[in-house]
């Protein structure tokens, strides 16, 4: 609530997940929200409308203006995060099969000719890097495993 000396209060929030911003400008009897993420505004509008209905506010009015550039902007922010987490998920899913191949090779297992190409790729620097970093990849995956769900 603004003090008697101030006519309004402005508060800024930043999403820890998407790095988008929300600005709230509060004046007596009026709230203004601005965000570079349409989803944020949509969620706020829904919550405020629900609250107004519960409080039986008859003089409540909600208007909004969506700037078309906000949608591509939000997608540009989210794309690298989605891409990184999809690649991370794929790498984590490769760890167990790569370890199995490593064990099989160590035991001198004979592999059918049609699988020789897979064995050659398992020895590639990319896959060997995944094996070396397995613990850190799994730790990062476990830390962020719900991020993709939150983004969608």
């Amino acid at each position: 609530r603004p003090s008697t000396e101030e006519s309004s209060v402005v508060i800024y929030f930043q999403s820890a997940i998407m790095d988008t911003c929300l600005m709230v400008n509060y004046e007596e009897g009026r709230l203004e929200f601005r965000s570079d993420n349409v989803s944020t505004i949509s969620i706020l509008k829904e919550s405020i409308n629900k609250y107004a209905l519960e409080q039986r506010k008859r003089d409540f009015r909600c208007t909004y203006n969506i700037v078309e550039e906000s949608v591509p902007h939000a997608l540009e922010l989210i794309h690298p995060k989605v891409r990184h987490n999809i690649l991370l998920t794929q790498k984590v899913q490769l760890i167990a099969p790569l370890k199995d191949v490593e064990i099989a090779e160590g035991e001198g297992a004979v592999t059918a000719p049609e699988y020789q190409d897979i064995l050659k790729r398992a020895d590639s620097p990319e896959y060997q890097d995944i094996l070396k970093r397995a613990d850190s990849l799994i730790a990062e995956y476990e830390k962020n495993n719900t991020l993709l769900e939150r983004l969608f």
Side-chain angles (χ1 to χ4, degrees):
R1 187 168 266 215
S3 69
T4 54
E5 299 163 5
E6 299 173 329
S7 62
S8 68
V9 172
V10 179
I11 304 170
Y12 294 92
F13 300 92
Q14 183 171 2
S15 169
I17 296 172
M18 287 191 50
D19 295 327
T20 56
C21 296
L22 170 66
M23 186 238 10
V24 180
N25 183 2
Y26 173 73
E27 297 176 16
E28 189 62 41
R30 182 175 177 268
L31 281 170
E32 177 184 13
F33 300 98
R34 290 181 182 246
S35 178
D36 54 350
N37 185 351
V38 176
S39 295
T40 301
I41 298 298
S42 178
I43 292 166
L44 276 168
K45 181 181 174 222
E46 185 178 313
S47 299
I48 292 169
N49 282 334
K50 182 180 176 185
Y51 177 78
L53 283 172
E54 289 171 357
Q55 300 299 314
R56 294 180 172 80
K57 298 283 184 183
R58 293 185 188 152
D59 59 346
F60 174 76
R61 191 170 33 111
C62 183
T63 60
Y64 57 95
N65 179 23
I66 297 175
V67 177
E68 287 185 30
E69 292 83 18
S70 65
V71 175
H73 171 73
L75 290 173
E76 287 173 13
L77 291 173
I78 198 173
H79 181 262
K81 295 173 187 321
V82 170
R83 181 172 167 71
H84 173 77
N85 279 282
I86 287 172
L87 290 173
L88 176 64
T89 300
Q90 290 172 341
K91 288 176 182 177
V92 167
Q93 290 172 341
L94 283 172
I95 292 171
L98 286 171
K99 286 183 177 180
D100 289 344
V101 167
E102 197 174 52
I103 291 168
E105 284 180 330
E107 294 173 352
V110 178
T111 307
E114 60 266 23
Y115 298 117
Q116 291 300 317
D117 184 50
I118 294 171
L119 287 175
K120 287 178 190 172
R121 285 189 284 163
D123 285 333
S124 75
E126 177 187 2
Y127 291 135
Q128 290 304 310
D129 182 58
I130 290 171
L131 283 172
K132 285 179 193 171
R133 298 180 7 193
D135 292 339
S136 65
L137 291 170
I138 291 169
E140 181 182 355
Y141 176 79
E142 288 174 351
K143 180 181 171 189
N144 297 325
N145 68 350
T146 60
L147 184 63
L148 282 176
E149 292 173 14
R150 290 179 186 167
L151 291 172
F152 293 108

